[in-house]
Amino acid sequence: MTKHVAVLMGGWAAERPVSLSSGNACADALEEAGYTVSRVDVDRNVVEVLKELKPDVAFNALHGPFGEDGCIQGVLELLEIPYTHSGVMSSALAMHKVKAKAVMKAAGVPVAEERVVHRLEAAKQHVMAPPYVIKPINEGSSFGVVIVKEDQEHPPQELTRDDWPYPDVVMAEKFVAGRELTCAVMGDVALGVLEIVPMGHNFYDYDAKYVPGGSQHILPAKILPPVYQEIQKLSLKAHQALGCRGVSRADFRLDDSSTGTGELVCLEVNTQPGMTPTSLVPEIAAEAGHDFKELVSWIVEDASCGR
């Protein structure tokens, strides 16, 4: 019997456009693979919609709050609809950058030093020696990220904005110079390591992620084989420590220049990696021999409750 898959996309988070792009790409591929697909632009009435649709599987293509923080996962558990990607606890944990880092560090995954502060405190004086990065604790797609450079005399004043759209408590994290690397995990297998080179951007921000030409992707990353293998090992270790399921993606910084420290740190694990035409996981999976249709089909067949 053909499975009926409800692809959940859109929602109301800042990453709504990315989610719609991811969701429609996945829905197209699933239809091509022979599944019956319902495209659900998630709103506050999602429970009623899903009760009416009665899908066999919910493909979670939501990004940001509600979609990847354990909320929609809890709804799907309540409705007893098997769903893709990570479960309630893992999603909530991985989305909270500070708690996720504590768990990864305890598992032996290197992370950058950080401090949790109120945004107004961080605007008054440097909360750690520059260079460092200010991040919202639970946002994705680099929303709200502010880099404080080494020669920056004053802390970032955008933190005092009356219309600051993120929670007041933020994370200040030591800036690690060097290469931006990422590794996808599929089930219990770490796939390839990809290097991201932002084009015309200071770092891998929203536009570098999602605008065509915003970044160059080098796959496999041109790094020493022992370092390549270490990143694969750490990605799988982080995936397992956080309790991730299905597909995840771990992001790293590597300071391996001739004058660098050689430091390697894991920045975060993404439990709902983007599936857009410029996204990283489909590219990494393809290099490992899984085309897009095969990748999304595997994700659907991996779906379950109690994740």
Side-chain angles (χ1 to χ4, degrees), residues 148-285:
V148 180
K149 296 180 180 176
E150 193 166 8
D151 58 355
Q152 194 165 318
E153 189 174 339
H154 302 290
Q157 293 308 294
E158 54 259 59
L159 294 169
T160 64
R161 283 170 42 190
D162 290 337
D163 61 346
W164 176 256
Y166 311 108
D168 285 338
V169 176
V170 297
M171 179 176 75
E173 182 179 68
K174 175 190 169 188
F175 177 79
V176 177
R179 303 196 201 192
E180 190 100 29
L181 300 161
T182 193
C183 179
V185 173
M186 186 174 173
D188 57 359
V189 177
L191 304 180
V193 180
L194 179 150
E195 180 176 6
I196 305 148
V197 182
M199 307 299 286
H201 300 263
N202 291 327
F203 70 105
Y204 193 46
D205 61 8
Y206 183 88
D207 286 344
K209 281 181 167 77
Y210 301 118
V211 175
S215 62
Q216 179 187 1
H217 300 166
I218 301 170
L219 179 68
K222 293 179 171 60
I223 53 180
L224 293 173
V227 180
Y228 194 102
Q229 291 160 14
E230 178 69 5
I231 290 172
Q232 288 177 308
K233 184 181 84 174
L234 292 173
S235 297
L236 184 56
K237 188 178 281 191
H239 177 97
Q240 293 171 339
L242 294 169
C244 298
R245 295 287 300 275
V247 171
S248 74
R249 195 193 77 233
D251 297 335
F252 294 83
R253 294 283 286 192
L254 172 65
D255 189 3
D256 70 343
S257 67
S258 58
T259 58
T261 62
E263 186 175 12
L264 172 68
V265 298
C266 181
L267 297 176
E268 63 181 353
V269 171
N270 189 331
T271 58
Q272 293 284 127
M275 303 290 271
T276 73
T278 59
S279 291
L280 305 169
V281 166
E283 190 174 342
I284 294 170

Side-chain angles (χ1 to χ4, degrees), residues 85-100:
H85 300 80
S86 293
V88 176
M89 184 178 72
S90 177
S91 299
L93 179 57
M95 189 71 170
H96 194 291
K97 292 180 172 62
V98 179
K99 293 188 182 345

